[in-house]
Amino acid sequence: MTLFELAAEQKSADVTDWSGRIGWVVGLLLVITLVYWLMRQGWKWRGTLQSDLPAPPGPPAEPGEPSRTLSGRYHGSTTAGQWLDRIVAHGLGTRSRAELSLTPAGLLVERPGARDFFVPTAALREARLDKGIAGKVLAEGGLLVVTWALGDRLIDSGFRSDRSAEHPEWVAALNAVSGPDHQNHPTTTTEGAAR
């Protein structure tokens, strides 16, 4: 076979079907947009269902000198003892960096890019180490969970320090200043069972 015969037998590659590919890309983008929109609507609906929850207090003008501080992450809040029942009302569902300060007046949670809140000493119920809260699961004891009262509901808020070795010290300090009816509330784990 000569070179000319070989060249004559070769065919050009099939032309790409751009309209088919564009159709698939547009369809995929529409599905992604729909899923995102449904997730956003679910988040808003959860906030509407929790509209009876009062807004947490803002930081006081003079909280006092902090006895200890913590830098880390705020992983969200849930109904106490129900680690998957996320609280989203009033920005409590927004994960963010956080600076915690334990003062004589209570626990100050400062969150850049999200709403700060304050837990008065009388509202503190307990602190414990746990392994998870809605949207975040860590090794056993990797999460500092603070239980506090907001209105007539108990809330669990999860924090993780940049230095997790200080978690046990925070548990002891928070439990030492917890409200007067601290003993009336059983300690719960992520499984929701009382200890």
Side-chain angles (χ1 to χ4, degrees), residues 100-138:
L100 271 64
S101 300
L102 184 58
T103 70
L107 180 66
L108 175 60
V109 181
E110 296 175 290
R111 302 185 300 157
R115 178 191 252 176
D116 298 342
F117 63 94
F118 182 73
V119 181
T121 302
L124 288 170
R125 295 297 179 257
E126 72 165 340
R128 68 179 185 278
L129 297 180
D130 217 324
K131 64 181 177 182
I133 200 159
K136 188 68 173 178
V137 177
L138 300 163

